[in-house]
Amino acid sequence: MTDPTAPRQHGPDEPAGTTAARPLILTEDEELLDDLLRLCAAAGTEPEVAHGAPPDRGSWETAPLVLVGDDCAPHIGAPARREGVLLIGRDLDDAGVWQRAVTLGADHVIFLPDAEPWLVDRIADAVEGAGEQALTVGVVGGCGGAGASTLACALALTAARQGRRTVLVDADPLGGGLDVLLGGERTAGLRWPDLASSRGRVGSGALEESLPRLHDLSLLSWDRGDTVPVAPEAMRSVLGAARRAGGVVVVDLPRRLDDSTAEALAHLDVALLVLPARLRSCAAAARVAAGLRTAVRDLRVVVRGPSPDGLRDDDVAHMLRLALAGALPGEPGLTDGRDRGGPPGSDPRGPLARFCSAFLARALPAGTGTAGTGTDGGSAAA
């Protein structure tokens, strides 16, 4: 099984000496070279090294990232301008480094060792071909039994059915387990206990390969053993990797806030607070919303009907002082995950799937990561 934290290994069909996916290092400083080789290894890649200047034109133009030691900058001259050139300095008090960066056309000047974490991420992004990050949606219940896990599964299932790369993350260790809702508790793959203490960068492709694959989506859930605390660093690494792959990431969140949950909230583009249209539920949801407001940049409410208290959807949104993402009409099995015998949202004509299709249509930029387009309608606010 793939270890998502392991450095990338070149496959047997990859031509030896290929430079298209290898960063280029230009330096004659052996100490700096050792540091850059170490950082490239941490990013999961093996660079091409040019000890002399000027660099080979082909390597300069095709490398995904060029790392130029300041020792070489004065001797390179004025190579063809390109993006992705970083000048690596050592002396913060050397004012001339900025002029050399301008001459070189460098995107950034960075100084080691302070910028090492940033540089590892930048190298890995370049090698992985980082593009537009995934739309990341968090779902949290405003009260017990609100149906948040069911909505999270349905959103992920709908995105996958539309042909989008989709990752579903179960961030609630005390929930029932999203793998159970999707019928895949015995599917092979890594679970949170395997990743809970991860440190450093996780490769996007390796993460996707290592997780259970269900209904055309990748799922990170829990096993049936004792609850294992997830370090905030592990949550950051996993969600960062999932987002870099593009498509859609859906995170099922607990109502309680701890350091790991706070880290997950920081990665969200939008959070959906789900609750039934009841007065007592609104009171409970108000407390949950108070804890989310400072951590989430876009928090919206999803109201599940019908209301025994005569509340309208916009009444609930007004009481919570939140934007209304949409309304979920009554549907058999919504709160316990049953959807006509299949996973939540598996019936594309059901109210749940229609809601999810409408929400994603409004939340996703047109044409992002889609192999096919959905045709379902539904009621969801932008």
Side-chain angles (χ1 to χ4, degrees):
M1 185 178 296
T2 302
D3 179 358
T5 64
R8 177 183 178 272
Q9 302 294 324
H10 295 286
D13 297 328
E14 227 174 328
T18 181
T19 61
R22 299 173 63 195
L24 172 64
I25 295 177
L26 295 166
T27 184
E28 296 178 351
D29 182 331
E30 293 298 328
E31 183 180 351
L32 177 59
L33 177 59
D34 287 344
D35 286 340
L36 293 178
L37 289 174
R38 172 175 54 83
L39 298 178
C40 285
T45 188
E46 181 180 351
E48 178 185 0
V49 179
H51 293 281
D56 175 75
R57 178 176 178 179
S59 298
W60 175 272
E61 293 178 351
T62 61
L65 191 69
V66 179
L67 309 176
V68 180
D70 193 38
D71 62 296
C72 277
H75 314 301
I76 290 179
R81 295 283 171 156
R82 54 153 293 169
E83 296 181 350
V85 176
L86 307 181
L87 181 59
I88 316 299
R90 290 284 197 182
D91 186 1
L92 284 167
D93 297 323
D94 180 8
V97 70
W98 304 104
Q99 182 58 51
R100 291 189 288 276
V102 172
T103 302
L104 188 63
D107 296 341
H108 298 280
V109 177
I110 63 174
F111 297 91
L112 303 181
D114 292 349
E116 285 191 359
W118 181 90
L119 183 54
V120 170
D121 282 347
R122 183 69 180 83
I123 294 168
D125 282 345
V127 172
E128 291 181 5
E132 186 172 357
Q133 291 198 330
L135 171 72
T136 307
V137 182
V139 186
V140 59
C143 60
S149 294
T150 298
L151 178 57
C153 284
L155 280 169
L157 199 67
T158 301
R161 188 165 54 235
Q162 293 175 349
R164 303 182 188 275
R165 177 185 285 109
T166 305
V167 179
L168 175 59
V169 178
D170 187 351
D172 186 0
L174 301 181
L178 299 188
D179 54 345
V180 176
L181 277 181
L182 293 176
E185 57 267 38
R186 295 185 180 179
T187 303
L190 298 185
R191 265 71 174 178
W192 265 124
D194 302 304
L195 299 168
S197 59
S198 298
R199 296 293 189 274
R201 187 169 179 107
V202 173
S204 297
L207 176 69
E208 193 169 4
E209 292 174 8
S210 70
L211 296 180
R213 189 77 179 166
L214 299 163
H215 308 285
D216 296 321
L217 61 87
S218 298
L219 170 67
L220 177 55
S221 190
W222 303 85
D223 60 16
R224 306 281 79 84
D226 294 336
T227 300
V228 176
V230 176
E233 295 83 0
M235 183 66 73
R236 181 185 311 126
S237 296
V238 167
L239 288 184
R243 294 195 73 196
R244 287 193 303 273
V248 176
V249 176
V250 181
V251 187
D252 185 25
L253 295 160
R255 294 197 303 279
R256 55 168 179 71
L257 294 181
D258 57 17
D259 291 342
S260 180
T261 304
E263 184 63 48
L265 293 173
H267 286 266
L268 301 182
D269 295 304
V270 59
L272 301 179
L273 182 65
V274 187
L275 71 154
R278 298 174 181 170
L279 288 172
R280 290 186 60 187
S281 300
C282 291
R287 292 190 289 271
V288 177
L292 295 174
R293 288 182 196 277
T294 58
V296 179
R297 53 191 167 191
D298 187 355
L299 178 61
R300 312 182 196 182
V301 63
V302 176
V303 182
R304 180 168 59 82
S307 172
D309 301 323
L311 293 176
R312 297 179 304 174
D313 308 326
D314 53 355
D315 292 333
V316 175
H318 180 73
M319 291 172 64
L320 296 176
R321 293 183 292 117
L322 294 174
L324 179 64
L328 277 175
E331 181 171 3
L334 176 62
T335 57
D336 60 12
R338 292 179 294 104
D339 186 22
R340 301 187 184 182
S346 59
D347 178 5
R349 295 180 177 82
L352 184 56
R354 293 202 308 271
F355 171 89
C356 294
S357 293
F359 173 79
L360 291 173
R362 289 163 173 78
L364 282 162
T368 55
T370 306
T373 56
T375 58
D376 299 320
S379 173

